[in-house]
Amino acid sequence: MTLKLNVNGQSCELSVAANTSLLDVLRNDLALNGPKYGCGLGECGACSVLVDGKAARACVLPVTAVAGHEVITLEGMARGDRLDPVQQTFIDAQAAQCGYCLNGMIISVRALLNHHPSPTQEQIRAALEHNLCRCGTHLEILEAARQAVLADAAARRETVDE
Amino acid sequence: MSDSPLSSTPRRQALPVGLAHVHYGVVVRPPFYVWDGEQFESARLEHVDKSEVAALPYRADVVIENNFVGVVADSLEAAYDAAARLHLRWQQPTKVSLVSPLKGIQTPTDALAPQAKGVSSAGAHREASHHYGWPGRMRWGEQPGWVVADYQQNQLNVWGQTTTPNTLKHDLKMLTGLDEDQIALFSSNTEAPLCATGLGRHCGDDAAIDAALLSQILACPVAVWLDERYARDMTALGLAQRMQLSAVVSEEGRIEEYSYRQTLAPSEVAAVGLWLSGRLKLQTSADEPTATASYAFNEPYVFRQETLTAHTGYPAGAPTNPTLLNVQQTFARESFIDEMARESGQDPLDFRLRHLEDKRGIELIESVARQVQWQTPPQQAPRGPSEMLRGRGVAYAQLPDREQRQKSGVRSAWIADIEVNRITGGVRITRLVVGQDAGEYVDTARLQQTLQERVLGEARPLLGHTPAFDQWSDEPNGTVDKKEQERTSLSRLTSPAIEPTRNDQLATTEPASPLKEVDFAPGVAVIANALFDATGVRFRQPPFTANRVRQALQEQVAGDETLSPSPATRRLRRRWFAAAALTTIAGSAAMAWPWKGAIAPVSRPAPTLYSAETIERGRLVAAAGDCAACHTAEGGVENVGGRAFETPFGTLYSTNITPDEATGIGQWSYAAFERAMRHGISRDGSHLYPAFPYTAFAKTSDADLQALYAYLMAQPAVSADTPANALSFPYNLRALMAGWNALYHDPTPFQPDPEQSELYNRGAYLAGGLGHCSACHTPRNAMGAEQSGERYFAGAMVDGWEAPPLNTLSRAPIPWSEHSLYDYLRHGESPLHGVASGPMAPVVAGLGELPEYDVRAIAHYVAAQMGAPAGNSEAELAEAQQRISRTMTSPPGMEQGEQLFAGACASCHVDSGLPSFNRAATSLALNTNLHSERPDNVIQSILGGVHAEHVVGIGAMPGFADSFSNTQVATLAAYLRARFAPDAPSWQQLEQRVAELRQPHHNNTYSTP
């Protein structure tokens, strides 16, 4: 079937089987490798993307489900040359060990901040509860998330000032 | 209850008025009521039990006045719900004679003209007499709408649509006792005027009386929803007028003696609410029909001897409508003249001219005839799709001017070309030429425009849509062809005959006067006459709806087979059976099937044989029957077959139903196709197994089956052999099915229940026939036959899935409502129940093709089987919330299950407080499967997941067959049951069931570990 998608602000037309997963389309057809294939069952979160600003697990979503919605992947989060504040704090905090889960962590924190601009510690933990990390980098990731809250608030203030 | 169960379409339409505190009324009509032309009779209300209504959580007022029953509540749904809970006991009227509403007077019957009075050739002296009728109520239009009444302080305001405002006002006066100036009528539709065009009273008046009565008694504004429920009034009110015409035709083909008799008092039938409430007191007049001088007959033709009589026994105070009388008269006379011409073998146009002396009239008719190139005898219709019949009709009228002078009145000659689809019964006016001789100073352009608008307006109620149980609401039935509108032309006579000097009255009338209803008088007869030309059936009573036309055509064929061919019928038969080699006509005696014989192969019908309209209808039939769901293998080409079905008797494969001659159904004639669909017998005479649900398909109407055949034959042919079935002995002996059929199969087509609404009957037709819901949802006996009675819709196991009960045995934690059922069937998801999955997912995808009305109808019918209300009550919604909050925490002692759930399920099935695009919208606490007696659907969903890519909006769930062991699936299922259905007993032998369901299965694409 032919399908129109809006990914990272660009619209594209694809001819794919209706039961193809969004992840397969992103990685194989659109060469967007930010989202990772982890468990393939929606359990680990490595494949996360933003759909209408909400976190979504691309490996279990049929691509038809996002037609008419706005999809943002890790690649589409930056504004021009400037990374999204969440991306930047994850780099600054050196939150990566192997880094496979970081796409999902960043997307989940971004989705959290879209909903709660100043979340509590519990809310951060709840938001990342179903993002699995095998390397045990949880403390660094939580620290990066905490910094991201501040950086994001600062970035928002800047945008307002501009 | 804030959200209406019939949400999106018409019901969302706002109330027409900014009234505060509008209440909503629903009336309950008696099981029997009828107007027989002279009096009204109805069942008598004996006893009312309001206890169930009083116990409802919302307020509902019951209004009873004699035999009038109404329920008023804060929302329409609440009113419907309360009305359904009102227990009424009615006593049937004792007079048996009333069963036949037309006492002593012959009912107008549509007839095959050649057989009506024997056959006579031109020149013979003959007599004939026919009856014509005019319905007491017309349809109100195609869309439902609001009718609102507000009675307060001796002032009544009514918002609605009417074609007869004076009569409506008269009835409202009688109802309320108010004076004329205390009653105001307004349009309920901002885009349409109050007065719709029409050819008689419509049910909007009945709804207005109902609303006014309820409003007066309860002293609050009341809105009534005018929809198919009011169609019963149309039937009950029978005829407003009957006309008997007879003539003696001389050997020269002239009418010698002509007689016209109007057998009913020329009044309109009062609104049903007036009769039922007893507020109408009729003083019937016992006057015999008498000739009357004051009564205008407007007879344009000249006969040697004529007798014109009319019943003038006016019921006291009943209003008359001279305009309508003129229209009725013209219809009867022009139909009769046409019949006389046909029966005496003459051209209907010449025949009219022969009886006219008025020069202007003659010239007008001749001018119109030239414009359409009228030929005697009519030219052969051009070849087109075989089910299209074409015909042409003519009608003429001369109506009096405002001083009732006929000579200076308007002459009007009409010729119409129509097309009749004999499968759907739809009538389309393809060309209409109207000659109107209306004086010298008429603005022709404007007249033409008005005429076009009005002709289209008038033709709609005549041909228009009366939804029947097998009517596909989107099909273009009974339309005036839009493309052809431009061709609707007006020919105006510019001859000396209308020189102002000789027609001074005309010259002095105001120029460009808007057309009146009477000017359309010939419009009804012209369609009836064209219909006769096309089909050979004489319709002696409007309207000519698709349903009536189709039924008449079916009766015609049934009758035709008993008649020996005669010269007069030969032309008809030739046209009729032009494609007889390929299509047997519906209704031709189901009894006569050669039970075991093969039906001779035919070559594949040409794809152009059927019209696009019929094929489109067939496509909807195929969607409703979901042919492709079974006749398409996983990943295969549509309708090529090869899908495997595991049954207790062995494995069956669906067959190729593309029109391939060698491997598909290309060589099947319609007769063979119909036999398979109704009797489960293949073209070669062998029996089909009831995995093919012919037991349900047998209920399909003839028109739908023919359209389905047309559709399937128009699809691309694909060559593909069907795998051989693997059935165990003795089930592999197909012949045994003959005995099975005798025991368990009832091949009678669906019969609508007259006590039920159109919506219900449509739903019953779809759910019980094409939709074959019961094939899965009704348990089967040991012989594989569906059980009946209380077991109907009681739920069953199919393909390793449980099809849950659709009757009162439903175990849904929150009871289903009509609203939820509609959401589920239309969108694949109900917020209070969850998503369609397993074998139900493709069903929802198939239903996506169907019009809105049909899905509503199925929901309505299933809700009735469940005893479900229209919408869920506040209490039920609150209970849903409680169930969700009660299951937020894990039950103790199930740590293993909890771990599995947290790892595999929680990211989608637990509400973290953050919005997520993946999250399952419905909490597992409301999931019907978790509350079922059987764990099968839960296990199936865990193993295979939920896949419904074709239904937008249903989330997808991955299958865990490859990542969980049988023990893990069983542990998880037990945990889910304990946590989300805490009030249900735990499931037993889960692990064993998981192992059984893990067998490779066509509905699940996972592999066996």
Side-chain angles (χ1 to χ4, degrees):
Chain A
M1 62 184 291
T2 316
L3 202 70
K4 250 200 177 130
L5 289 188
N6 178 345
V7 180
N8 294 335
Q10 297 189 329
S11 105
C12 50
E13 209 168 287
L14 291 164
S15 180
V16 289
N19 60 357
T20 317
S21 74
L22 173 62
L23 182 65
D24 286 347
V25 169
L26 293 175
R27 290 181 61 90
N28 301 342
D29 297 77
L30 303 178
L32 295 170
N33 294 323
K36 300 286 183 281
Y37 185 92
C39 63
L41 293 169
E43 295 179 19
C44 73
C47 62
S48 296
V49 297
L50 292 167
V51 180
D52 298 340
K54 294 179 266 188
R57 308 206 156 190
C59 71
V60 291
L61 270 186
V63 66
T64 47
V66 299
H69 296 271
E70 187 186 41
V71 180
I72 302 281
T73 68
L74 193 65
E75 290 88 340
M77 288 175 74
R79 277 198 182 176
D81 291 342
R82 198 165 159 193
L83 291 178
D84 187 278
V86 181
Q87 290 173 303
Q88 193 59 56
T89 48
F90 269 74
I91 294 170
D92 295 346
Q94 297 199 14
Q97 173 81 289
C98 83
Y100 204 78
C101 69
L102 273 205
N103 167 68
M105 297 291 178
I106 293 171
I107 294 284
S108 292
V109 172
R110 181 70 265 162
L112 169 70
L113 294 178
N114 288 347
H115 192 67
H116 290 305
S118 46
T120 62
Q121 187 68 17
E122 283 68 38
Q123 283 171 325
I124 295 176
R125 282 172 173 273
L128 297 177
E129 189 182 355
H130 297 291
N131 284 81
L132 306 186
C133 165
R134 309 191 79 155
C135 309
T137 332
H138 300 86
L139 292 177
E140 286 78 4
I141 290 170
L142 283 173
E143 181 54 32
R146 271 192 293 273
Q147 287 178 24
V149 176
L150 302 173
D152 197 50
R156 264 200 309 279
R157 277 195 301 275
E158 251 173 65
T159 327
V160 173
D161 292 346
E162 279 166 13
Chain B
M1 292 290 294
S2 58
D3 205 357
S4 132
L6 299 179
S7 48
S8 40
T9 43
R11 219 160 262 204
R12 271 286 159 85
Q13 174 192 325
L15 275 178
V17 272
L19 284 171
H21 313 299
V22 176
H23 291 66
Y24 297 83
V26 170
V27 292
V28 184
R29 297 280 196 238
F32 171 87
Y33 59 107
V34 68
W35 162 256
D36 71 351
E38 304 204 334
Q39 52 182 323
F40 185 87
E41 198 74 26
S42 86
R44 201 167 56 78
L45 185 58
E46 273 194 336
H47 182 254
V48 182
D49 175 6
K50 299 184 201 175
S51 56
E52 211 178 313
V53 176
L56 286 171
Y58 48 84
R59 188 178 158 193
D61 294 308
V62 178
V63 172
I64 310 264
E65 188 169 315
N66 286 320
N67 297 322
F68 179 92
V69 180
V71 179
V72 175
D74 289 342
S75 76
L76 189 58
E77 288 66 41
Y80 280 134
D81 189 35
R85 293 168 196 271
L86 196 58
H87 299 288
L88 304 170
R89 198 167 69 230
W90 299 90
Q91 191 191 15
Q92 290 291 327
T94 43
K95 286 189 218 163
V96 188
S97 67
L98 287 171
V99 176
S100 155
L102 304 170
K103 295 186 295 191
I105 311 167
Q106 195 188 330
T107 317
T109 46
D110 304 330
L112 251 179
Q115 78 189 70
K117 279 274 173 178
V119 177
S120 73
S121 53
H125 175 93
R126 46 176 289 115
E127 288 181 44
S129 176
H130 295 303
H131 293 257
Y132 300 86
W134 199 270
R137 283 291 183 280
M138 289 287 190
R139 240 189 113 68
W140 55 92
E142 299 191 6
Q143 295 293 327
W146 289 110
V147 178
V148 189
D150 182 17
Y151 179 101
Q152 46 189 329
Q153 292 161 1
N154 295 327
Q155 170 71 30
L156 173 66
N157 293 336
V158 173
W159 290 261
Q161 297 283 313
T162 182
T163 54
T164 46
N166 294 334
T167 319
L168 175 58
K169 261 199 174 173
H170 177 276
D171 279 2
L172 288 169
K173 265 165 63 186
M174 190 177 288
L175 182 83
T176 57
L178 295 175
D179 291 334
E180 180 124 7
D181 54 2
Q182 292 169 307
I183 299 173
L185 304 179
F186 304 97
S187 169
S188 59
N189 183 346
T190 47
E191 286 158 23
L194 165 72
C195 293
T197 61
L199 296 161
R201 238 185 153 182
H202 72 50
C203 303
D205 287 8
D206 298 300
I209 294 291
D210 292 341
L213 205 159
L214 294 171
S215 175
Q216 188 185 22
I217 291 178
L218 296 174
C220 63
V222 173
V224 167
W225 185 246
L226 172 64
D227 71 355
E228 285 311 312
R229 291 170 173 87
Y230 276 91
R232 265 192 80 201
D233 289 355
M234 289 165 53
T235 331
L237 293 183
L239 293 181
Q241 191 51 270
R242 283 192 298 270
M243 294 141 287
Q244 182 184 13
L245 284 87
S246 31
V248 174
V249 183
S250 73
E251 289 177 9
E252 296 80 42
R254 278 191 69 100
I255 292 182
E256 296 290 324
E257 291 163 35
Y258 172 86
S259 134
Y260 175 97
R261 181 167 167 255
Q262 197 165 276
T263 60
L264 294 184
S267 60
E268 289 181 294
V269 187
V272 174
L274 271 178
W275 296 110
L276 291 177
S277 63
R279 294 200 187 187
L280 178 78
K281 298 281 185 288
L282 247 197
Q283 297 135 36
T284 39
S285 160
D287 289 352
E288 278 302 298
T290 46
T292 165
S294 63
Y295 193 79
F297 283 103
N298 307 320
E299 190 58 69
Y301 303 106
V302 179
F303 308 112
R304 191 167 299 162
Q305 187 188 331
E306 62 180 30
T307 322
L308 309 174
T309 54
H311 188 307
T312 52
Y314 288 70
T320 59
N321 183 340
T323 302
L324 189 58
L325 279 172
N326 272 326
V327 175
Q328 293 168 352
Q329 274 181 23
T330 307
F331 164 67
R333 185 196 63 239
E334 285 302 307
S335 298
F336 182 70
I337 297 286
D338 208 77
E339 283 198 64
M340 288 301 97
R342 305 271 182 175
E343 287 179 25
S344 58
Q346 301 184 69
D347 177 77
L349 200 137
D350 290 344
F351 190 74
R352 283 179 172 78
L353 291 175
R354 194 183 294 201
H355 292 91
L356 273 180
E357 286 179 358
D358 172 49
K359 285 214 172 59
R360 281 171 55 180
I362 293 172
E363 211 152 335
L364 181 69
I365 293 179
E366 284 175 342
S367 134
V368 172
R370 270 194 305 279
Q371 184 129 359
V372 300
Q373 296 171 325
W374 183 275
Q375 286 173 339
T376 321
Q379 77 278 22
Q380 213 50 39
R383 270 193 72 84
S386 69
E387 82 278 20
M388 283 299 185
L389 306 172
R390 292 186 172 79
R392 169 173 282 183
V394 59
Y396 174 71
Q398 183 182 349
L399 298 158
D401 68 6
R402 52 175 52 194
E403 270 89 45
Q404 297 300 311
R405 284 171 302 206
Q406 202 186 2
K407 190 149 192 206
S408 55
V410 176
R411 282 102 171 131
S412 184
W414 294 46
I415 292 179
D417 287 344
I418 62 162
E419 265 183 10
V420 184
N421 184 320
R422 69 176 158 78
I423 293 179
T424 65
V427 178
R428 185 154 54 195
I429 301 174
T430 53
R431 188 179 187 199
L432 183 61
V433 176
V434 178
Q436 195 97 336
D437 163 10
E440 185 68 356
Y441 300 119
V442 168
D443 174 353
T444 313
R446 183 166 159 213
L447 184 60
Q448 179 159 352
Q449 190 200 337
T450 325
L451 193 56
Q452 274 188 22
E453 286 165 7
R454 291 289 305 278
V455 165
L456 298 175
E458 305 296 337
R460 269 193 201 111
L462 273 183
L463 304 174
H465 172 94
T466 40
F469 67 88
D470 70 339
Q471 192 107 22
W472 302 83
S473 47
D474 286 358
E475 80 184 62
N477 257 335
T479 52
V480 178
D481 195 327
K482 296 250 163 51
K483 282 176 298 193
E484 299 288 339
Q485 282 181 21
E486 287 76 42
R487 283 170 59 187
T488 308
S489 56
L490 176 85
S491 103
R492 198 173 80 82
L493 196 63
T494 47
S495 78
I498 53 161
E499 282 296 311
T501 48
R502 292 171 61 184
N503 293 278
D504 43 352
Q505 282 92 353
L506 274 177
T508 54
T509 55
E510 74 268 49
S513 58
L515 287 162
K516 299 166 301 202
E517 248 89 7
V518 285
D519 299 334
F520 297 93
V524 188
V526 80
I527 295 174
N529 293 344
L531 267 172
F532 178 82
D533 187 45
T535 64
V537 179
R538 175 60 65 179
F539 290 85
R540 297 201 176 103
Q541 184 185 322
F544 317 114
T545 54
N547 210 26
R548 277 192 69 209
V549 170
R550 195 172 74 223
Q551 277 174 8
L553 290 178
Q554 287 172 4
E555 283 162 22
Q556 176 195 35
V557 174
D560 221 18
E561 298 193 339
T562 62
L563 282 177
S564 57
S566 63
T569 55
R570 195 163 291 155
R571 186 181 76 87
L572 170 75
R573 292 178 63 92
R574 211 175 29 243
R575 199 187 279 189
W576 189 252
F577 289 108
L582 306 175
T583 58
T584 330
I585 311 305
S588 55
M591 302 304 296
W593 293 120
W595 277 93
K596 283 163 195 155
I599 294 182
V602 296
S603 49
R604 182 190 170 192
T608 53
L609 184 68
Y610 292 96
S611 66
E613 193 180 298
T614 304
I615 291 171
E616 170 60 14
R617 178 182 181 140
R619 189 182 70 80
L620 292 173
V621 175
D626 219 351
C627 310
C630 289
H631 285 278
T632 308
E634 192 82 44
V637 181
E638 186 164 299
N639 287 341
V640 161
R643 190 175 194 126
F645 291 85
E646 319 283 340
T647 73
F649 315 107
T651 304
L652 286 165
Y653 293 90
S654 60
T655 52
N656 181 351
I657 55 167
T658 69
D660 182 60
E661 294 198 12
T663 60
I665 58 169
Q667 290 191 330
W668 290 44
S669 64
Y670 175 70
F673 179 75
E674 189 188 4
R675 186 174 70 169
M677 292 293 285
R678 293 206 191 284
H679 301 271
I681 297 170
S682 182
R683 188 194 63 72
D684 62 12
S686 61
H687 283 271
L688 299 168
Y689 291 107
F692 167 62
Y694 61 87
T695 45
F697 293 157
K699 305 291 161 215
T700 313
S701 74
D702 292 323
D704 281 349
L705 269 192
Q706 292 196 19
L708 177 61
Y709 179 77
Y711 167 76
L712 289 174
M713 287 301 172
Q715 301 310 302
V718 180
S719 173
D721 284 312
T722 303
N725 290 333
L727 291 181
S728 52
F729 181 83
Y731 308 112
N732 53 354
L733 302 177
R734 285 180 181 271
L736 290 181
M737 287 309 301
W740 191 94
N741 284 340
L743 283 172
Y744 301 119
H745 180 41
D746 169 18
T748 31
F750 174 75
Q751 289 301 321
D753 179 349
E755 292 294 302
Q756 298 283 1
S757 68
E758 296 275 1
L759 190 68
Y760 179 96
N761 278 320
R762 176 69 179 158
Y765 173 69
L766 286 171
L770 287 162
H772 60 280
C773 305
S774 68
C776 290
H777 288 276
T778 297
R780 292 173 187 263
N781 64 17
M783 292 303 293
E786 287 171 25
Q787 295 172 303
S788 56
E790 284 181 359
R791 305 293 292 155
Y792 179 64
F793 274 0
M797 290 301 298
V798 175
D799 285 347
W801 287 81
E802 182 195 12
L806 299 182
N807 59 12
T808 48
L809 297 174
S810 169
R811 288 184 175 268
I814 301 298
W816 283 92
S817 67
E818 189 173 332
H819 187 183
S820 306
L821 285 164
Y822 169 76
D823 275 348
Y824 182 84
L825 293 170
R826 176 94 289 185
H827 307 300
E829 177 171 20
S830 157
L832 289 176
H833 301 276
V835 299
S837 65
M840 194 62 198
V843 174
V844 172
L847 290 176
E849 297 290 315
L850 291 193
E852 178 89 5
Y853 180 82
D854 290 349
V855 179
R856 291 200 185 288
I858 298 173
H860 182 72
Y861 173 75
V862 174
Q865 308 311 308
M866 287 181 152
N872 285 102
S873 65
E874 298 292 343
E876 285 165 341
L877 296 180
E879 200 206 324
Q881 273 313 317
Q882 279 175 16
R883 277 184 180 272
I884 293 170
S885 47
R886 274 206 305 269
T887 57
M888 294 296 264
T889 50
S890 278
M894 304 195 82
E895 284 70 24
Q896 276 184 320
E898 185 180 359
Q899 277 171 18
L900 290 169
F901 182 79
C905 320
S907 69
C908 293
H909 283 287
V910 170
D911 185 358
S912 66
L914 264 188
S916 151
F917 197 76
N918 290 86
R919 181 147 312 120
T922 305
S923 166
L924 290 172
L926 304 181
N927 186 297
T928 305
N929 293 330
L930 281 169
H931 290 77
S932 169
E933 278 176 12
R934 307 186 59 112
D936 298 66
N937 289 5
V938 171
I939 297 171
Q940 291 277 25
S941 301
I942 295 173
L943 290 175
V946 174
H947 307 281
E949 296 86 12
H950 296 284
V951 187
V952 175
I954 298 190
M957 172 174 147
F960 291 85
D962 293 339
S963 45
F964 281 165
S965 68
N966 289 355
T967 314
Q968 284 174 314
V969 175
T971 307
L972 179 59
Y975 171 80
L976 293 171
R977 174 79 158 181
R979 175 166 169 185
F980 294 105
D983 34 8
S986 56
W987 286 317
Q988 303 302 312
Q989 295 175 313
L990 272 171
E991 202 165 332
Q992 186 192 332
R993 194 68 193 128
V994 176
E996 286 161 11
L997 289 172
R998 234 187 229 280
Q999 297 309 311
H1001 197 277
H1002 70 264
N1003 271 323
N1004 293 319
T1005 46
Y1006 58 81
S1007 57
T1008 319

